[in-house]
Structure formats: C-alpha cells, structure tokens
C-alpha cells in the first residue's frame, strides 16, 4: 500500500472538552503520523467554503455556526492507506452506530457534535489540506 496524506479536523465539541491529545493518540496508535497541525479559530468564511458542498442542505447554517463556535485543530495525517485508516479510527458519523473503540463511539456527543472530520477520498484530502496548509507547513 502507498503512503497517503489525509486531512483531519478535531471539532469544537472535542477541543472544548480538551480531547485533542486523546483523539490524536488513537490516530497515532493506528499508525498515522501528524505531519501538519494548527489550532485555529475558524472564520465564518473558512467554514462556509469548507462545507460549501452542503450549502443547499437544511443543516448547513447550523454546521457553519458550530464550526466557528470554538477553536478547532486542523491536521495533516500521513501513513499507509491514510484516508481509509483515518475513517476507520473515526467511526461512523452517528456515534450510536460507531464501532467500539472508535473516536466517535468514545467521544462524540451526537451526530452533529461528532468530534472529528476526515477526508472521504485522496482527492478531497488534497483539496482540504490546501485550504488550511501550505506545503512548507507540512513536515515529516
């Protein structure tokens, strides 16, 4: 398998509860390396652009408001088959359906406050990474 990069966000519900280290420990235990990381207060413009794919959905405004409500941690993770591995460690979007031991099973408060975001494909990972990082900010 090839080494890939994927994009990860530790969302406001998790940063507010000081879960950044616990969540990253799960990613690292799965063999993913953090090669880029920043704690930011996402702006409304950043959140609207990032989630523009959902702009026509009824939850869009609520999602944007949530993502700017507290700081987030944006990250670039690297490893073998990183996109799929990261998604496995995150678990299902609905924490009630997430497998035991996954981030969302252990830490998510609800479907909306599900603690983490991860790219769903290698192509989207490249787009999402570029929204928050320049190449010189990724080391590893």
């Amino acid at each position: 398998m090839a080494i890939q990069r994927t994009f990860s966000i530790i969302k406001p519900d998790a940063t507010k509860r000081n879960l950044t280290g616990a969540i990253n420990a799960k990613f690292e235990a799965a063999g993913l390396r953090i090669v880029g990381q920043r704690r930011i207060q996402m702006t409304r413009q950043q959140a609207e652009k990032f989630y523009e794919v959902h702009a026509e959905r009824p939850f869009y405004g609520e999602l944007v408001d949530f993502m700017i409500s507290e700081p987030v941690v944006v990250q670039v993770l690297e490893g073998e088959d990183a996109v799929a591995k990261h998604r496995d460690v995150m678990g299902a979007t609905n924490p009630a359906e997430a497998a035991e031991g996954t981030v969302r099973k252990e830490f998510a408060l609800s479907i909306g406050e599900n603690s983490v975001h991860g790219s769903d494909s290698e192509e989207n990972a490249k787009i999402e990474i570029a929204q928050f990082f320049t190449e010189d900010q990724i080391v590893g």
Side-chain angles (χ1 to χ4, degrees):
M1 293 197 190
I3 298 295
Q4 290 180 331
R5 287 183 175 163
T6 192
F7 181 71
S8 172
I9 300 176
I10 300 178
K11 294 182 177 181
D13 62 293
T15 62
K16 184 176 183 177
R17 292 179 291 145
N18 295 320
L19 296 173
T20 301
I23 290 170
N24 279 336
K26 288 188 166 291
F27 296 154
E28 290 177 329
L32 296 167
R33 291 185 53 216
I34 300 167
V35 295
Q37 180 183 68
R38 296 184 319 149
R39 184 180 189 93
I40 64 168
Q41 180 69 52
M42 195 179 286
T43 66
R44 179 167 297 281
Q45 183 179 7
Q46 285 173 315
E48 287 173 347
K49 178 174 174 43
F50 189 79
Y51 288 106
E52 69 188 352
V53 66
H54 299 302
E56 300 302 317
R57 300 209 177 164
F59 61 82
Y60 176 72
E62 185 178 326
L63 175 60
V64 169
D65 288 343
F66 168 63
M67 292 302 293
I68 66 173
S69 68
E70 296 280 338
V72 298
V73 177
V74 292
Q75 306 185 118
V76 180
L77 307 178
E78 186 176 83
E80 286 191 26
D81 202 20
V83 172
K85 190 176 289 187
H86 183 233
R87 294 190 67 77
D88 286 346
V89 175
M90 287 191 311
T93 302
N94 183 345
E97 297 172 1
E100 290 298 325
T102 62
V103 170
R104 289 178 173 151
K105 186 66 166 188
E106 290 189 26
F107 303 121
L109 299 174
S110 66
I111 293 175
E113 293 180 308
N114 62 20
S115 300
V116 288
H117 163 84
S119 301
D120 62 1
S121 69
E122 193 170 8
E123 295 76 26
N124 281 338
K126 289 175 184 174
I127 293 166
E128 292 174 350
I129 288 167
Q131 285 184 268
F132 293 94
F133 292 91
T134 58
E135 269 304 310
D136 66 330
Q137 294 172 319
I138 302 169
V139 296

